[in-house]
Amino acid sequence: MVLVSEISLGGESALLRSWEKACSGKDVVLPPAGTNYLDSVRASTAAFIESAGHELVSINNEGIRNYVNRFDYDKFVKYVKQVNGWTHKLPLVFDNMAQELNLIALLDLLQFGSGYRKELHTATGRGASDTIRFGCISMHISQTLIDAKGLQALTLGDISQHFDIPLFGDERPMAQGSSAVMVSQASELRPLAECILGCLQDTGKRLELGGYSSLADFIIKMCTEKPSAAHLVEMLANAFPSLRDVAQIEDHQVYLFKKAQLMAYDVCQRFGKTDKMFAFNDIEQLTLFADNVVPAMMQHHGLILPNKNIIAKIENSQPLSLPETTAMRAASIVAAQMVVDYANGHSSAATKCEIPINQATLDNFWWHEGKEPDLR
C-alpha cells in the first residue's frame, strides 16, 4: 500500500506563505501608536453595536439589572479561582521562569480551533482548548525546541504527533477498480493542523527578525520597558498578525484583541505576585476575551439578544457570518461592562466580594460556567 507523502516544510515553505496570505490580521489598521488598546476595544465595540451591530445583537438592559440582582457571588469566586489557578497547576517541571512563561504564552497564542470541536472529540476525545494544551505539553516534555528558531523548524508531522491531530482520513484506490495503490484523503482536521503550524512558524520568523530569542524574551523586554497590560497588548498586536483580532465590518473597525489580552492576563496571574514587571496595575481594565463560549453564556443569561436569524443558525449548528460573529462578540463586551458598572455601583455584595467584578473575572466565570454539562 502506498500513501501520499507530506511535503517538507521550512521557514519559507508554501504553507507559511499561505498562512501569511490567509491571516486576516496582516492587513488590518491598528490604533495609532500610544493609544490605549483596551480603550480602543471598548470604544470600537460600543460604536459598532450602537450603529449597525444592534440590528444583529441588542443589549438587554433590564436583563442585565435582573442578572446582577440575583448574581451568585459564591459560585463566581469558586469558578474564577479555579480558572485563575490553571497557570500554577501545569504538570510540568521548568528550568527557569522564562521557559514557563514561554509555554504559557504559546498556549494563549494557539487559543483557536473551536470550530473543529465536534471533529476533535470524534478523533481524539478532546475539545479545541484541551487539544492545544495537550500539544504544548507534549512539545515541552519531549524537549522540542519552541524558541524562535525551533518554531520555524516545526513540520506538519510534528504538529500531528504532538497535538494528536490526524492528517489523513479514509483511503481510496488511486485507480478505479484497482486496490494495488491506495491514497489517503486529507483528514477534515488537517486544516487545523496547518493553522497551528502556520501560526507557530510565522511567530518564530517574526521573533527572529525582531531580534528576540523566544516569545518569552519578547514579553519580558516589553514588560521591562513598561509594566502595563495595555502596553503589552499593544506591543503584541503590533508584532504578531495572529494576535491582531480585528474585524472590518463595512466602515467599522472593531477591535477585540482576545488572545493578546488573554496573554497579558495569564502572565499577570502567574508571575505578577513574584515579579514587579508583571504586576500590571491596569489589569482590571482588560475586557472580555470574547470567543464563542462567553457570548453563548451571556445569551443564555439574557444579557444579549441575537436577532432571529442568528438564533436560527445557532439552533441548527450553522456557522455565523463575520458581521454576525463580530456582533455577538462586540455586544458581549458592551454588556459585560454594563454588568460591571451596575454591580459595582448598586450591589454591596459586589464591593465586598473577595474577587473584584471586572470584565476579565466575569470572562473566567462565564467560561467555566459554560463547561457545565447542563449548559455546554
Side-chain angles (χ1 to χ4, degrees):
M1 180 174 62
V2 179
L3 295 179
V4 178
S5 62
E6 68 180 84
I7 62 172
S8 175
L9 299 172
E12 295 297 327
S13 68
L15 178 57
L16 180 53
R17 291 194 297 272
S18 176
W19 161 260
E20 290 183 338
K21 182 178 179 181
C23 181
S24 61
K26 185 167 67 71
D27 300 316
V28 302
V29 177
L30 293 171
T35 301
N36 185 308
Y37 274 38
L38 308 184
D39 289 344
S40 295
V41 173
R42 284 181 169 82
S44 66
T45 52
F48 175 60
I49 293 301
E50 288 173 6
S51 54
H54 74 276
E55 297 179 358
L56 297 170
V57 184
S58 59
I59 310 298
N60 185 358
N61 294 290
E62 182 178 358
I64 288 172
R65 290 191 293 271
N66 291 337
Y67 177 74
V68 172
N69 290 336
R70 64 175 191 274
F71 192 70
D72 189 337
Y73 289 95
D74 292 335
K75 182 179 178 181
F76 168 77
V77 169
K78 176 183 176 182
Y79 278 11
V80 173
K81 283 184 176 181
Q82 290 176 354
V83 174
N84 282 349
W86 82 264
T87 56
H88 297 267
K89 296 178 181 178
L90 288 172
L92 303 169
V93 176
F94 297 97
D95 294 337
N96 49 55
M97 179 273 286
Q99 187 182 52
E100 183 177 2
L101 170 61
N102 197 56
L103 187 69
I104 290 172
L106 286 178
L107 278 162
D108 288 337
L109 176 73
L110 295 176
Q111 285 303 309
F112 55 78
S114 61
Y116 292 93
R117 179 178 178 272
K118 180 179 178 182
E119 292 82 359
L120 284 168
H121 272 285
T122 299
T124 70
R126 305 181 194 91
S129 183
D130 285 341
T131 294
I132 297 304
R133 181 184 174 95
F134 182 89
C136 289
I137 289 176
S138 174
M139 288 194 293
H140 177 81
I141 292 175
S142 64
Q143 298 184 348
T144 300
L145 290 178
I146 50 177
D147 57 7
K149 291 186 181 295
L151 294 178
Q152 294 177 77
L154 290 169
T155 69
L156 198 56
D158 293 330
I159 300 303
S160 176
Q161 178 181 357
H162 289 300
F163 292 81
D164 194 25
I165 298 175
L167 299 180
F168 300 104
D170 296 334
E171 297 176 3
R172 62 176 177 80
M174 180 174 286
Q176 186 174 2
S178 172
S179 60
V181 179
M182 304 290 288
V183 294
S184 290
Q185 302 279 70
S187 162
E188 56 189 348
L189 288 170
R190 187 184 181 105
L192 175 60
E194 292 176 347
C195 282
I196 292 172
L197 177 61
C199 179
L200 293 176
Q201 286 186 339
D202 181 75
T203 300
K205 179 180 179 181
R206 292 174 188 278
L207 284 168
E208 186 173 32
L209 289 174
Y212 303 99
S213 62
S214 66
L215 191 51
D217 182 38
F218 177 90
I219 293 171
I220 289 170
K221 288 177 178 175
M222 294 306 106
C223 293
T224 300
E225 179 180 282
K226 185 177 181 180
S228 158
H231 176 69
L232 180 56
V233 168
E234 178 184 354
M235 295 299 102
L236 287 167
N238 275 272
F240 307 107
S242 56
L243 295 177
R244 295 173 194 166
D245 189 5
V246 181
Q248 179 71 44
I249 310 297
E250 297 179 349
D251 58 343
H252 295 280
Q253 195 85 352
V254 186
Y255 300 112
L256 299 161
F257 301 129
K258 172 209 165 180
K259 291 190 292 182
Q261 291 196 75
L262 180 61
M263 202 175 293
Y265 183 81
D266 285 340
V267 166
C268 181
Q269 288 299 314
R270 177 63 186 93
F271 303 107
K273 293 182 179 180
T274 57
D275 198 317
K276 63 181 181 181
M277 81 170 79
F278 303 123
F280 307 144
N281 59 14
D282 59 346
I283 194 67
E284 293 189 11
Q285 295 306 308
L286 293 172
T287 70
L288 287 183
F289 319 128
D291 52 10
N292 61 317
V293 176
V294 172
M297 288 307 305
M298 297 182 71
Q299 177 190 355
H300 169 75
H301 289 304
L303 308 177
I304 60 174
L305 304 173
N307 67 20
K308 61 181 182 180
N309 292 330
I310 294 178
I311 292 175
K313 285 185 176 182
I314 293 173
E315 290 177 345
N316 291 289
S317 300
Q318 297 175 342
L320 302 185
S321 67
L322 178 60
E324 291 169 338
T325 300
T326 303
M328 288 289 287
R329 299 175 72 193
S332 297
I333 292 171
V334 175
Q337 189 60 50
M338 295 174 70
V339 171
V340 171
D341 293 342
Y342 188 79
N344 290 320
H346 296 81
S347 172
S348 59
T351 57
K352 296 176 182 178
C353 187
E354 178 183 348
I355 293 176
I357 306 292
N358 55 55
Q359 287 209 43
T361 54
L362 283 174
D363 181 281
N364 291 171
F365 174 54
W366 287 325
W367 185 86
H368 194 305
E369 192 177 43
K371 303 301 181 180
E372 294 179 3
D374 294 341
L375 298 174
R376 194 175 183 88

